[in-house]
Amino acid sequence: MKVAVIGGGPAGLYFALLMKRANPAHQIVVLERNAPDDTFGWGVVFSDQTLGYLRDADPESAASIADEFAHWDDIDIHVRGATITSGGHGFSGIARKTLLRVLRDRAAQLGADLRFGQDVPDDAALAGIGVEGMDLVVAADGVNSRVRARYADRFAPDLDVRTAPYCWLGTARLFDAFTFLFVETEHGVFQAHAYRYSADRSAFIVECDERSWRNAGFDAMNEAQTVAACEAMFAPWLDGHALESNAPHLRSPWIRFTRVSNEQWFAMDGTAAPVVLMGDAAHTAHFSIGSGTKLAMEDAILLARVLNRDGASLADALREYQEERRMDALRLQNAARNSMEWFENVRRYIHLDPPQFAYSLLTRSQRVSHENLRLRDAAYLSGVERWFASRAEAGAEPERCPPPMFTPFRLRGLRLQNRVVVSPMDMYSAEDGLPNDFHLVHLGSRALGGAGLVMTEMTCVSPEARITLGCTGMYAPEHVDAWRRVTDFVHARSTSRICLQLGHSGPKGATRLMWEGMDEPLAEGGWPVMGPSAQPYGERNQVPREMTRADMDRVRDEFVRATAMAESAGFDMVELHCAHGYLLSSFLTPLSNRRTDEYGGSLQNRLRYPLEVFRAMRNAWPEDRPISVRISATDWVDDGLTADEAVAIARAFGEAGADIIHVSTGQTTPRGKPVYGRMFQTPYSDRIRNEAGVPTIAVGNITEADQVNGIVAAGRADLVALGRPHLADPFWTLHAAAQMGWKDQPWPIQYASGKSQLERTLQRQQEMLGTAAI
């Protein structure tokens, strides 16, 4: 096989040596525009896992790389006068020049044709330099790939240039751990990522948000001025050592990260030879998780493997490479995006106490979880749990330290025994709004299951406010008595507290039961619906009438009536539903609110009526009992609610007296395209909590106790709501406590023998696992 590789970085060189190692008869030409020793980076970081991949692929080059490694296990975080250390992370650093030398020497030894100082704009230029008759062209020419640009219509690249400037510097100051430094100045917040990559050198990456960068005047500084300013800023940690830049070709050393992805990774039609992307040309991962070179070299491993597989056509090999590597790259890019966004928004977190700030940093990518930190450094995590538990009980140091999810939480006069919430989930099982035995058993069993707070489904404030004929209501005297059965049971038989969620369906009303067709209009027996504007939720839904001021007054009073009835029914808390495209949500989003009066247009106007309803409810509800507000923080469409607006909405409700914001997303338009994934809505809770300064409830594909612990400990939310897990297991919280060995979680006295047996069974399983490991 004859292959031309455009780009002589780690990906191109490693691919060349692997191809020659697999079959010496391959003709591999590597074309690199720079000289052999030119590089504008400093160090490269590999995890222990990646080192294993390299050893399997080519033990010889892996051994040479390992000989040059600087290894560390600790991460040091310096913030607001504190230094926090977490161990067990297992990374190694190597000079980029050294890595290139090792790969270059090994590739040359195996017979690859390496040509440096050979500027090849793209594959069209190959014939002009005598590189003809290629079976394949590998584009490993980096973030700004000219080959990718030539075939942009085939690859469909997505280039997301981020806003946070950073500069990649070096220093002779040796850091014994991977070190994060955070500095607050009058200009803003600045951070450095520093790590040793050789016996005498460290990389030192300085990064900040755009506002801090401009406030400090970095946008007007040249290279020398930038280096001097960074030296002064981080002088306490440099111990008199200088910083230096190796980017003289740039007017300023500041650059911005570009997140690269492509719909297609190879092209075979309309090209002189098939072309395939590799490394940064195909994808990038933010430097804060140190995986760009890892991704590139793992690309090389798989591409070489599939090309050397017997019997496979070139098209099949490239297709296999694309599908397998695209999934791996997507997983890593998602983690890298989380990490990148954390560092882009350090201002959001800098107010956190140092222990929580450091924990938030360590778990930012969602690849490192609460229990994973315990495996890495149990002493560190125990310290975090002690700190968190002491804060949860107003500074008291508990004799036995609970996991974060089992710490109590207070809202006004309400004390929740833990941070677990049973999400409000519509059951569509009422008649004429009346909750029945199903609701008693459904909600009662979840309360017996140990959750700190149980929420009812959206309970409608009038017959016309119902979504379906099966929705519960709070608008008739008999509803109070029926709900009282539920609250009495919860209070008498469990340690849980119970919240009534109140809402109005608005434009999404008069639809069928969920299992008969989600959001499908009733075939018969429907009623007219209303909203802020005559904008139907979907094409098949009714066109709502635009609400008049008289309609607004009536609906507001219905919410107030239902709130008073909730007190009579014995609820500990109420929640106002302003999410998911229902009435009050449809006022908040510009997708459905097209009014031209004082209730439409600007966010202030769109907020006016929902705030009016909330304030009236707050006045009708006892002062010592909390009220929550549920919002959709994004519509998942470009012309919908913005993230900044979601923060402003939460802040406005907080200022009006809301005690906690229940942060959901979407369901406001059929056009929404949610980006699903585990804990996919938690970032919205995180932002609202830490920017608006109000407590939050996180929700959305949260399924494990480990995730709950991580969300709460990091300050991404104060409470965590789980829906489907509680449908599958009403005793989810009790089981989680047993699995974590937390015996202080109360169980119903009637189930005490089950608790003992479960704890013994789990203990035996743990002992058996320990024996097997030995």
Side-chain angles (χ1 to χ4, degrees):
M1 177 177 283
K2 297 172 66 177
V3 182
V5 182
I6 301 177
L13 292 171
Y14 198 48
F15 172 76
L17 74 85
L18 292 177
M19 288 293 288
K20 293 296 289 185
R21 184 177 188 272
N23 187 343
H26 288 321
Q27 297 180 39
I28 311 296
V29 181
V30 178
L31 305 160
E32 169 57 44
R33 62 178 174 173
N34 295 309
D37 291 327
D38 286 348
T39 180
F40 304 110
W42 294 91
V44 175
V45 177
F46 291 120
S47 68
D48 289 346
Q49 180 187 55
T50 300
L51 299 181
Y53 296 154
L54 301 185
R55 281 192 293 270
D56 292 342
D58 182 48
E60 292 81 1
S61 60
S64 298
I65 291 169
D67 288 344
E68 302 286 349
F69 271 142
H71 186 86
W72 67 88
D73 284 312
D74 290 348
I75 292 177
D76 282 350
I77 300 164
H78 299 256
V79 60
R80 294 167 56 190
T83 300
I84 296 172
T85 300
S86 170
H89 296 277
F91 283 92
S92 298
I94 185 172
R96 184 174 174 85
K97 282 188 176 183
T98 302
L99 176 64
L100 289 171
R101 174 180 54 76
V102 168
L103 299 179
R104 185 173 67 241
D105 291 350
R106 176 67 172 151
Q109 176 194 38
L110 292 170
D113 181 0
L114 309 181
R115 305 183 190 181
F116 294 92
Q118 185 75 67
D119 188 11
V120 180
D122 53 47
D123 60 323
L126 292 175
I129 59 172
V131 179
E132 300 181 273
M134 295 291 106
D135 298 307
L136 179 67
V137 174
V138 177
D141 52 342
V143 173
N144 299 312
S145 170
R146 292 181 287 182
V147 177
R148 185 189 63 222
R150 184 185 183 201
Y151 298 112
D153 60 327
R154 322 289 174 79
F155 297 126
D158 180 7
L159 309 179
D160 179 12
V161 181
R162 306 301 297 185
T163 60
Y166 70 95
C167 58
W168 207 300
L169 308 175
T171 180
R173 161 73 160 92
L174 299 181
F175 293 90
D176 294 328
F178 198 113
T179 303
F180 293 104
L181 309 170
F182 296 88
V183 175
E184 295 177 86
T185 75
E186 68 273 22
H187 304 302
V189 184
F190 303 84
Q191 61 261 16
H193 313 234
Y195 59 89
R196 183 164 57 92
Y197 63 80
S198 70
D200 58 357
R201 306 293 296 175
S202 295
F204 199 93
I205 308 166
V206 179
E207 184 186 21
C208 58
D209 62 89
E210 174 91 14
R211 180 161 50 131
S212 298
W213 183 70
R214 291 191 182 279
N215 287 348
F218 279 120
D219 56 325
M221 294 184 192
N222 60 26
E223 181 183 51
Q225 291 168 327
T226 292
V227 171
C230 290
E231 282 179 1
M233 187 182 300
F234 293 100
W237 297 278
L238 289 171
D239 293 342
H241 292 84
L243 292 177
E244 48 189 286
S245 170
N246 67 352
H249 60 301
L250 300 175
R251 186 196 70 80
S252 168
W254 294 99
I255 53 179
R256 297 171 195 267
F257 177 75
T258 301
R259 187 177 188 268
V260 176
S261 60
N262 291 271
E263 287 188 14
Q264 185 74 13
W265 287 27
F266 68 94
M268 300 190 70
D269 298 325
T271 58
V275 178
V276 63
L277 303 177
M278 187 170 63
D280 284 353
H283 47 65
T284 55
H286 193 254
F287 59 83
S288 62
I289 63 169
S291 295
T293 303
K294 159 195 163 68
L295 270 175
M297 295 181 73
E298 290 176 3
D299 284 352
I301 292 171
L302 182 63
L303 184 57
R305 182 188 306 151
V306 297
L307 290 175
N308 284 285
R309 185 170 294 151
D310 291 339
S313 68
L314 180 58
D316 287 343
L318 295 180
R319 194 172 295 109
E320 180 181 350
Y321 161 74
Q322 172 181 283
E323 294 311 309
E324 184 171 333
R325 288 303 298 151
R326 177 156 52 192
M327 290 305 300
D328 288 342
L330 181 60
R331 281 192 288 266
L332 193 56
Q333 280 190 313
N334 285 341
R337 181 193 64 231
N338 295 334
S339 177
M340 171 184 70
E341 290 179 350
W342 193 94
F343 281 105
E344 289 175 341
N345 295 284
V346 171
R347 279 179 182 266
R348 182 184 300 162
Y349 306 108
I350 199 67
H351 71 279
L352 297 174
D353 285 349
Q356 191 165 52
F357 180 92
Y359 182 94
S360 177
L361 186 157
L362 292 170
T363 58
R364 67 196 182 278
S365 72
Q366 297 184 5
R367 291 196 305 170
V368 177
S369 69
H370 192 79
E371 291 305 317
N372 186 263
L373 280 175
R374 195 184 308 280
L375 291 174
R376 293 169 187 244
D377 190 340
Y380 160 76
L381 191 66
S382 294
V384 171
E385 291 182 336
R386 285 193 301 273
W387 170 84
F388 192 84
S390 68
R391 281 174 51 91
E393 288 290 6
E397 184 74 20
E399 293 182 7
R400 297 186 64 250
C401 183
M405 67 180 283
F406 289 108
T407 58
F409 186 67
R410 290 186 180 274
L411 291 167
R412 297 194 185 225
L414 179 66
R415 182 184 185 273
L416 304 178
Q417 65 171 357
N418 60 53
R419 306 301 183 101
V420 180
V421 178
V422 176
S423 290
M425 295 173 284
D426 290 322
M427 294 291 105
Y428 305 109
S429 299
E431 294 183 9
D432 296 324
L434 192 70
N436 50 43
D437 288 348
F438 176 87
H439 300 88
L440 174 64
V441 174
H442 168 66
L443 295 170
S445 61
R446 272 79 195 162
L448 292 175
L453 182 65
V454 176
M455 286 193 167
T456 72
E457 62 195 84
M458 187 177 97
T459 300
C460 305
V461 296
S462 70
E464 297 77 21
R466 290 177 295 170
I467 310 166
T468 74
L469 292 170
C471 289
T472 56
M474 187 63 101
Y475 49 82
E478 57 269 26
H479 294 160
V480 175
D481 295 335
W483 280 118
R484 170 65 77 174
R485 289 182 68 215
V486 177
T487 62
D488 282 350
F489 180 90
V490 170
H491 293 146
R493 300 293 184 178
S494 79
T495 56
S496 298
R497 296 294 178 261
I498 185 164
C499 173
L500 178 68
Q501 186 189 72
L502 292 173
H504 191 299
S505 60
K508 295 177 76 173
T511 58
R512 302 177 189 179
L513 303 182
M514 179 179 64
W515 44 85
E516 295 175 351
M518 178 70 79
D519 297 323
E520 287 290 316
L522 286 167
E524 56 183 27
W527 54 89
V529 300
M530 59 183 173
S533 306
Q535 296 289 323
Y537 172 72
E539 293 180 359
R540 294 173 57 83
N541 296 96
Q542 288 186 56
V543 177
R545 78 169 187 275
E546 183 173 301
M547 291 179 72
T548 65
R549 183 61 249 189
D551 291 327
M552 293 183 197
D553 291 343
R554 185 180 68 259
V555 170
R556 178 201 60 214
D557 293 345
E558 289 168 349
F559 273 99
V560 171
R561 178 186 63 191
T563 301
M565 295 169 75
E567 181 185 4
S568 299
F571 283 97
D572 304 295
M573 176 175 170
V574 293
E575 176 169 277
L576 177 61
H577 201 330
C578 295
H580 300 167
Y582 299 123
L583 182 66
L584 299 179
S585 170
S586 66
F587 269 88
L588 293 174
T589 173
L591 300 179
S592 50
N593 187 342
R594 307 293 179 83
R595 299 178 74 100
T596 58
D597 60 7
E598 66 268 34
Y599 300 101
S602 69
L603 178 61
Q604 180 182 5
N605 284 357
R606 302 197 312 268
L607 260 165
R608 193 182 306 275
Y609 182 61
L611 283 174
E612 177 184 328
V613 172
F614 174 81
R615 290 191 181 102
M617 289 175 60
R618 180 70 266 181
N619 289 334
W621 187 241
E623 180 66 23
D624 65 338
R625 298 190 199 182
I627 298 185
S628 170
V629 177
R630 189 170 199 181
I631 67 170
S632 286
T634 177
D635 297 317
W636 295 110
V637 294
D638 291 339
D639 54 341
L641 278 172
T642 68
D644 288 342
E645 287 180 324
V647 172
I649 289 169
R651 184 180 291 116
F653 277 114
E655 292 171 350
D659 299 287
I660 195 165
I661 304 298
H662 193 165
V663 185
S664 187
T665 65
Q667 300 181 54
T668 56
T669 172
R671 295 194 289 118
K673 295 182 178 179
V675 181
Y676 292 111
R678 52 189 186 132
M679 300 180 283
F680 73 105
Q681 295 178 130
T682 299
Y684 295 94
S685 168
D686 184 345
R687 179 169 183 181
I688 285 170
R689 182 185 188 274
N690 289 298
E691 290 189 15
V694 294
T696 59
I697 304 173
V699 67
N701 203 18
I702 301 167
T703 59
E704 301 171 7
D706 196 21
Q707 295 168 346
V708 178
N709 279 324
I711 289 168
V712 172
R716 298 184 177 104
D718 299 276
L719 300 174
V720 178
L722 301 94
R724 290 178 177 85
H726 277 118
L727 293 180
D729 180 5
F731 300 96
W732 186 92
T733 305
L734 299 183
H735 293 156
Q739 289 159 3
M740 285 186 279
W742 180 243
K743 297 185 178 182
D744 289 0
Q745 166 64 34
W747 282 55
I749 189 64
Q750 298 89 340
Y751 298 168
S753 60
K755 175 179 187 287
S756 300
Q757 183 184 58
L758 177 60
E759 290 171 348
R760 288 195 302 271
T761 300
L762 291 169
Q763 181 63 33
R764 283 197 300 270
Q765 291 174 351
Q766 193 64 35
E767 291 170 355
M768 291 174 64
L769 287 173
T771 302
I774 294 172

